[in-house]
């Protein structure tokens, strides 16, 4: 008899599960990552900064891929040591060197510094280590890192600028063949400043910048369609995630380290508070897949017509309370954000009774027809 096909391998599944648990937390970056500053789409950077999309969950395969990158980084730094270079990869606390700009809203970790390269033995370089498959490798080897993999060049160049270095070393390894490529760069401070100014604009934007492509199905929109984690919000009409950063009251501040404040409560926000949000959360209107048709600043709500035609109210919605005044044979209503009529003082206020919506409806009919029954309430 033929064997049944094995559709699920328990060992492989267990390995993936173990790796996923090792990086189980879904995380949000405190600011815009320096590794992303070379990305063409400002809207994607703004969405990431505002925590608009769901945080990335690291599954087993992704966790293995990340570990492979870390192993390659260690391998390349050790290769530099093998040829006699001095490699400095941690600060005085034994931690990876960190860089930040724009009051901490732009931040990243660099791979290290190196001294003793054969081409320039007396010059310290910022070093950036990467690994890549053939497709990207061929471009970098043929054109150099600035043209072949611009976002990698931006990352290295920004670190050189922020740490005050005039030279950088880009070194990468081909995942398919094991080949090593290295290239020294001269720091382009003008371009670094331009990109940091661009990042500052993105931090200050109250609303998302223009889309890179309006139609994700267009040929030129390949990255929008297949590689962008914000496609659901940007093109598919999904709601943004609730957090202080997606709220119109949330404001990135230009003091401290990646500080945010809330205009609604007039207070600074901790990272935990930013993630949790609060009951007064109101979406930045451009993050709602619809059109504003009404709003109330006093009552703190915004009314939208969604793309499917439904009306949707964001924010607190006052509820109706129903009242009966037997002495005057009358009923009336108030909103939950209005004063309680029993607290107004006077003899009449003492006789007001709160009733249910059903009792209110029945009493209204009875007073209209003149038929009042004691069992209504």
């Amino acid at each position: 008899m033929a064997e049944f096909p094995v559709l699920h391998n328990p060992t492989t599944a267990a390995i993936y599960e173990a790796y996923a648990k090792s990086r189980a937390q879904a995380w949000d970056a405190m600011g815009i990552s320096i590794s992303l500053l070379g990305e063409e789409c400002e809207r994607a950077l703004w969405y990431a900064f505002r925590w608009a999309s769901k945080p990335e969950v690291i599954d087993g395969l992704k966790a293995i891929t990340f570990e492979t990158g870390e192993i390659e980084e260690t391998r390349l730094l050790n290769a530099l040591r093998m040829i006699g270079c001095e490699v400095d990869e941690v600060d005085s606390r034994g931690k990876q060197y960190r860089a930040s700009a724009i009051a901490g809203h732009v931040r990243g970790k660099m791979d290290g510094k190196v001294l003793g390269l054969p081409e320039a033995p007396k010059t310290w370089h910022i070093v950036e280590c990467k690994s890549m498959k053939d497709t990207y490798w061929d471009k970098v080897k043929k054109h150099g890192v600035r043209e072949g993999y611009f976002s990698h060049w931006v990352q290295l160049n920004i670190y050189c600028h922020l740490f005050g270095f005039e030279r950088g070393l880009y070194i990468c390894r081909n995942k398919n063949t094991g080949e090593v490529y290295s290239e020294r760069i001269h720091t382009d401070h003008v371009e670094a400043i331009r990109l940091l100014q661009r990042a500052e604009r993105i931090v200050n934007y109250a609303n998302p910048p223009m889309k890179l492509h309006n139609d994700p199905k267009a040929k030129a929109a390949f990255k929008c369609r297949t590689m962008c984690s914000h496609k659901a919000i940007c093109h598919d009409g999904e709601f943004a995630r609730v957090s202080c950063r997606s709220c119109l009251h949330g404001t990135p501040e230009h003091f401290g380290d990646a500080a945010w404040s809330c205009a609604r409560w007039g207070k600074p926000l901790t990272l935990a508070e930013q993630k949790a949000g609060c009951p007064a959360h109101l979406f930045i209107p451009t993050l709602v897949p619809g059109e504003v048709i009404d709003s109330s600043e006093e009552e703190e709500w915004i009314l939208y017509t969604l793309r499917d035609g439904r009306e949707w109210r964001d924010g607190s919605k006052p509820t109706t309370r129903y009242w009966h005044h037997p002495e005057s044979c009358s009923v009336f209503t108030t909103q939950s954000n209005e004063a309680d009529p029993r607290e107004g003082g006077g003899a009449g206020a003492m006789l007001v009774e709160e009733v249910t919506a059903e009792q209110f409806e029945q009493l209204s009919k009875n007073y209209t027809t003149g038929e009042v029954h004691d069992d209504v309430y």
Side-chain angles (χ1 to χ4, degrees):
M1 184 180 75
E3 296 183 1
F4 284 99
V6 178
L7 301 179
H8 175 77
N9 187 296
T11 300
T12 301
I15 290 172
Y16 282 155
E17 183 178 356
Y19 267 95
K21 286 181 179 179
S22 71
R23 299 185 185 240
Q25 73 280 9
W27 61 278
D28 293 295
M30 288 181 66
I32 300 174
S33 172
I34 290 174
S35 64
L36 298 177
L37 286 186
E39 292 296 324
E40 184 180 7
C41 183
E42 293 189 2
R43 192 180 182 96
L45 293 176
W46 189 88
Y47 279 144
F49 179 62
R50 289 283 180 162
W51 297 347
S53 300
K54 296 177 181 178
E56 182 181 15
V57 177
I58 309 302
D59 60 22
L61 185 57
K62 286 181 181 178
I64 292 173
T65 302
F66 289 161
E67 184 187 66
T68 300
E70 293 163 358
I71 291 171
E72 292 290 0
E73 177 186 322
T74 301
R75 175 183 285 153
L76 290 171
L77 292 177
N78 285 337
L80 292 171
R81 292 187 176 98
M82 288 173 64
I83 64 172
C85 293
E86 180 182 347
V87 177
D88 178 12
E89 56 186 308
V90 294
D91 60 20
S92 58
R93 304 169 301 161
K95 302 290 186 179
Q96 194 172 7
Y97 282 103
R98 296 173 181 265
S100 66
I102 323 299
H105 294 301
V106 171
R107 54 205 301 126
K109 300 176 184 178
M110 74 167 186
D111 293 341
K113 312 171 187 177
V114 60
L115 176 67
L117 295 174
E119 306 97 312
K122 296 182 180 180
T123 303
W124 278 98
H125 293 62
I126 298 293
V127 60
E128 191 64 34
C129 305
K130 300 294 183 183
S131 60
M132 63 190 69
K133 58 185 181 181
D134 280 332
T135 305
Y136 302 109
W137 168 271
D138 292 339
K139 293 179 181 178
V140 170
K141 191 172 182 180
K142 181 177 181 180
H143 302 290
V145 63
R146 185 165 187 168
E147 184 178 344
Y149 210 131
F150 183 66
S151 62
H152 283 180
W153 177 85
V154 167
Q155 187 177 1
L156 176 56
N157 189 61
I158 293 288
Y159 286 136
C160 288
H161 172 75
L162 292 178
F163 282 99
F165 279 56
E166 296 301 323
R167 300 288 184 272
L169 176 71
Y170 179 76
I171 182 168
C172 62
R173 188 170 183 271
N174 188 315
K175 291 180 179 179
N176 299 94
T177 66
E179 290 180 84
V180 174
Y181 171 85
S182 64
E183 175 186 344
R184 294 172 64 228
I185 72 163
H186 293 258
T187 306
D188 186 337
H189 293 285
V190 172
E191 181 66 6
I193 292 170
R194 185 190 72 82
L195 286 167
L196 289 173
Q197 289 176 335
R198 173 181 180 247
E200 186 172 13
R201 288 199 309 272
I202 293 169
V203 168
N204 291 333
Y205 284 146
N207 293 290
M210 291 180 62
K211 295 181 181 181
L212 193 61
H213 301 283
N214 288 322
D215 181 7
K217 297 179 181 178
K219 185 177 181 180
F222 176 78
K223 289 183 69 174
C224 294
R225 186 168 59 252
T226 62
M227 302 172 66
C228 184
S229 58
H230 309 292
K231 177 177 176 291
I233 294 174
C234 189
H235 292 290
D236 298 341
E238 284 196 9
F239 275 83
R241 182 159 50 109
V242 172
S243 76
C244 290
R245 296 196 183 190
S246 65
C247 176
L248 57 78
H249 299 303
T251 305
E253 299 292 353
H254 287 273
F255 57 80
D257 184 22
W260 282 73
S261 67
C262 175
R264 169 63 174 77
W265 300 108
K267 56 171 284 186
L269 296 167
T270 66
L271 196 61
E273 287 174 326
Q274 292 173 44
K275 291 184 177 183
C278 80
H281 180 278
L282 280 175
F283 277 115
I284 297 169
T286 43
L287 286 178
V288 175
E291 179 182 351
V292 175
I293 57 174
D294 197 5
S295 65
S296 171
E297 186 173 351
E298 290 184 357
E299 297 176 357
E300 298 185 281
W301 55 263
I302 304 174
L303 185 64
Y304 297 85
T305 297
L306 301 181
R307 292 182 181 181
D308 60 7
R310 290 181 297 120
E311 285 191 359
W312 177 74
R313 184 193 293 263
D314 186 20
S316 59
K317 181 180 180 181
T319 56
T320 301
R321 300 180 71 180
Y322 303 92
W323 305 96
H324 178 219
H325 191 270
E327 188 174 77
S328 63
C329 297
S330 64
V331 290
F332 62 96
T333 64
T334 63
Q335 297 298 304
S336 57
N337 57 349
E338 296 179 310
D340 190 319
R342 294 170 296 188
E343 298 174 356
M350 299 295 294
L351 298 176
V352 174
E353 301 171 320
E354 187 168 9
V355 296
T356 66
E358 291 77 13
Q359 291 170 337
F360 175 87
E361 183 178 358
Q362 187 60 54
L363 283 165
S364 298
K365 291 180 179 178
N366 291 346
Y367 283 134
T368 300
T369 60
E371 298 178 3
V372 181
H373 303 282
D374 293 335
D375 61 352
V376 171
Y377 61 93

